[in-house]
């Protein structure tokens, strides 16, 4: 999916406004969203323009039922799920970025030590090193974002 600079995503500054987005993007007040309407809704909510493939995938349930477009209920269900997923991703990214104080796109053992001391000063230093060792699967002394994200998905 291509990233397009857009407005600040709705899920960041107006939780619960999905119905309003639906009404704004329902061109002509039809009561449903066409594929183009849905693209605009995704731009409004998440700040990126979805690809044709992603749009088609999102529209498939409505079109499979021979509906003219996506109903409000379908939209709310789909977007609520996407917002929940996006919130988790964003939170994981923010945690990693906070740990990666040198902006190297990986975490060192020292980064972990510093982060643990800041977040949980009562834990022994050995706990931070053990946690790091669990994440450093290839034992190269670095934890990539992908490794970090994988572990965080289980938390």
């Amino acid at each position: 999916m291509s990233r397009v600079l857009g407005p600040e995503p709705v899920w960041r500054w107006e939780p619960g406004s999905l119905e309003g987005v639906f009404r704004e993007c329902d061109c002509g007040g039809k009561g449903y969203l066409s594929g183009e309407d849905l693209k605009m809704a995704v731009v409004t909510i998440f700040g990126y323009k979805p690809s044709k493939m992603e749009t088609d995938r999102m529209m498939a349930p409505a079109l499979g039922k021979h509906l003219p477009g996506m109903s409000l209920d379908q939209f709310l269900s789909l977007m609520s799920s996407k917002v929940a997923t996006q919130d988790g991703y964003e939170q994981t990214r923010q945690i990693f970025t906070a740990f990666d104080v040198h902006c190297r796109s990986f975490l060192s053992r020292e980064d972990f030590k510093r982060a643990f001391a800041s977040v949980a000063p009562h834990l022994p230093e050995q706990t931070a090193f053990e946690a790091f060792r669990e994440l450093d699967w290839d034992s190269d002394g670095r934890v990539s974002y992908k490794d970090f994200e994988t572990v965080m998905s289980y938390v």
Side-chain angles (χ1 to χ4, degrees), residues 10 17 57 60 66 78 92 102-103 108 114 119 125 144-145 155:
V10 167
S17 65
R57 185 182 49 75
H66 304 291
L78 177 67
T92 299
H102 300 293
C103 301
S108 68
R114 196 173 18 264
V119 174
E125 191 174 288
S144 69
Y145 175 75
V155 175

Side-chain angles (χ1 to χ4, degrees), residues 13-72:
W13 52 268
E14 282 186 42
S17 65
L18 295 176
E19 187 171 340
V21 171
F22 179 91
R23 302 222 184 282
E24 281 182 33
C25 294
D26 176 12
C27 293
K30 308 174 296 292
Y32 63 86
L33 298 182
S34 67
E36 288 303 309
D37 297 340
L38 182 59
K39 281 183 185 180
M40 183 52 83
V42 171
V43 169
T44 302
I45 296 167
F46 299 104
Y48 77 91
K49 181 181 175 186
S51 67
K52 178 173 177 9
M53 189 170 80
E54 183 180 3
T55 302
D56 289 348
R57 185 182 49 75
M58 289 187 290
M59 290 296 293
L63 299 177
K65 294 180 180 179
H66 304 291
L67 300 172
M70 184 177 288
S71 70
L72 174 60

Side-chain angles (χ1 to χ4, degrees), residues 56-111:
D56 289 348
R57 185 182 49 75
M58 289 187 290
M59 290 296 293
L63 299 177
K65 294 180 180 179
H66 304 291
L67 300 172
M70 184 177 288
S71 70
L72 174 60
D73 288 341
Q74 291 170 322
F75 177 77
L76 293 176
S77 175
L78 177 67
M79 291 301 124
S80 294
S81 174
K82 284 181 72 71
V83 165
T85 301
Q86 188 68 26
D87 284 344
Y89 170 80
E90 187 64 27
Q91 185 177 25
T92 299
R93 174 56 77 186
Q94 287 174 355
I95 292 168
F96 183 85
T97 301
F99 283 18
D100 183 18
V101 295
H102 300 293
C103 301
R104 298 177 297 207
S105 299
F106 67 85
L107 303 177
S108 68
R109 212 168 125 159
E110 284 303 310
D111 294 330

